[in-house]
Amino acid sequence: MVHGLLALARLENTATTPEPVDADAVLAERAAMWEPLAAEQYVTITVSGPAAGPVWAIPGARVRS
């Protein structure tokens, strides 16, 4: 969470024009990243619900781990 806040703070100084981003792909990527850690704690991560499709986001705003 702290990394996310720091990334957002950095982006405030370099924000550009939003562009379409595949929210479903980002969600799947993040869920896959967290699955091994969750499994160590006997937790299952499940993504459900309708597809979100493209959303507008600032390039580079995704939090990297």
Side-chain angles (χ1 to χ4, degrees):
M1 184 171 184
V2 172
H3 293 290
L5 292 173
L6 289 172
L8 288 174
R10 281 186 224 112
L11 283 172
E12 286 180 356
N13 294 329
T14 61
T16 61
T17 305
E19 61 185 38
V21 174
D22 184 350
D24 302 306
V26 173
L27 177 59
E29 176 187 312
R30 300 307 278 179
M33 183 193 76
W34 284 102
E35 281 178 338
L37 180 62
E40 289 176 9
Q41 302 300 315
Y42 306 101
V43 173
T44 302
I45 295 178
T46 303
V47 177
S48 63
V55 296
W56 288 93
I58 302 295
R62 289 178 37 197
V63 178
R64 306 253 184 235
S65 300

